[in-house]
Amino acid sequence: MTTAPPILLQPHVQRASSGRSSVHTRSSQRTCHEDIQTPGPTPCSSTPSQPAPTPSQHDRTPIGSRPVSLDSKKVPPSMPAAEVEDDLETELDTNEKPHSYDDTGTRTYERACRKLGIIPSSNCVKKLGRVTENLDLKYYGMGARGAMAVSMALVINDRIASVNMCGNDMGPTGMMYMQRMMQENNNIVELNISENNLGTEGARHIGELLRVNKVIRHLDASGNDFTDADAQLISKPVEAHTGLVRLNLSHNSLGDAAAGALQQMIAENSSLQELDLSWNHFRGAGAIQLAQGLSENVNIKVFNVSWNGFDDDGAVALASCLKNNSVVVDLDVACNRVGQIGVMELVSALKVNDALETLRIGKNNISEECAGAAVEVLRMTNPLKLTKLDMSDVILSSRFADLVSDLYDVHPELDVVYGYTDSYGKRKMKGYDIVEESMKVISEYLKAKDITIVELFSRFDADGSMSVTHEEFKEGLRDAGIPLSDLQVEEIIKQLDMDGDGEIDFSELVISTKDVL
């Protein structure tokens, strides 16, 4: 006796209808059911087919009936959950937008902050999301956990090329996260990790970063409490690095004991063009080693060793290097306790050096006699490649200005900076002018008393002759209580008595003070 085929349950039918769910297309659904043919027994079945149990009214869905949602359809309690999910046809949410790939790392950063229990930086979120190559997060105080969150985002982000994490108190743990990130990231070429209290362990992570990452070009690790023992951890990887162009190790505690490792690094590296070792503890012996390394280097163009303690021995060693070096264009030895011998050796080296364009020797022990001799050497040197001689904060008299003027006649392209500066190495201020300063004192007095210079002068002119003698002028200033020294008063009189007749008349006063008072 042939067993009748089992009754088919309604199959699932999903049809695309331009934004409308299949539950609303009855006619198309009915047509689909009419086309379905009932299959016969499976010919390859080796076991006699067993009659299927007659489906209950709960299981049977009449042909053409409307499917119902999960909320309205009654499901037998005994039916497994998996069968319920497969059996039921639900309405689709066609308005839901799929999440795009987190290519900026913004969502990764926010999730990391939540897991780490820290507050996300809104500025960091904004900067990660922008189409920019620079991520500037200096002085955000992120700490190690904040550095970890940023590092996780930067593993994903493929736009950022420059990262500034200066002053975030990351410590060695935060540096470890940055190092691991840099092992995965091949887009970041500039990294600033200065002022982060990295110490020895941080130096170790920097070394590992440089061993693995060959893409980085600029690294600023200044102000991180590195000592002599830490120099080797950084110098050896730098020595073998073929892509690093700029390295800043300033404001650390590197001294003569570290100079040997740094000498080897300078001599062997083939890519560095700028090296900053300023504000460390190098003295004469260490300076000689650094100079020896520089003499063997053929790439470094900017060499900054200011604010150390080279003395004349270190300056002489650098001068010897300059005589054979044709690469360095900017040398900074400011504030190094260099005296007359060292200064003259450095300047004299320019007779044979054809590369150096800027020489910074300010804030050293340079007398007026030494400065004058140096200018004379430059005046006699021809050709001269030098375009800037910076002697900032070396106080010289007006006689030196005459020597500089003569120098400009021979080398008009040369700029000599000396005297006080308002910002070291940036721009030259006026030299101290005793008359101008004295006039400022008088001007402040006039403002305080709410009078004019004419009214003050009339008090000195007892006879109304519109002129006063030198003695009357001095006495009038003393009586008025204007705080000027005898030298200042004498200089003012020389300025005001234009015709030298021994008296200061009203017209001379007006002409001399119109631009000052």
Side-chain angles (χ1 to χ4, degrees), residues 25 65 74 87 140 167 222 293 302 317 331 432 449 500 503:
T25 57
S65 65
K74 295 181 180 180
D87 183 66
Y140 273 61
S222 59
V302 180
L331 176 62
Y432 179 77
K449 298 297 183 180
E503 291 188 350

Side-chain angles (χ1 to χ4, degrees), residues 33-45:
H33 285 303
E34 293 170 355
D35 294 339
I36 296 176
Q37 301 296 323
T38 303
T42 306
C44 61
S45 175

Side-chain angles (χ1 to χ4, degrees), residues 25 71 118 128 134 151 173 185 201 230 348 379 411 504:
T25 57
D71 295 333
I118 59 178
L128 281 171
N134 301 316
S151 298
T173 303
N185 188 301
E201 283 304 308
D230 305 330
S348 298
R379 191 179 70 84
H411 300 293
I504 302 170

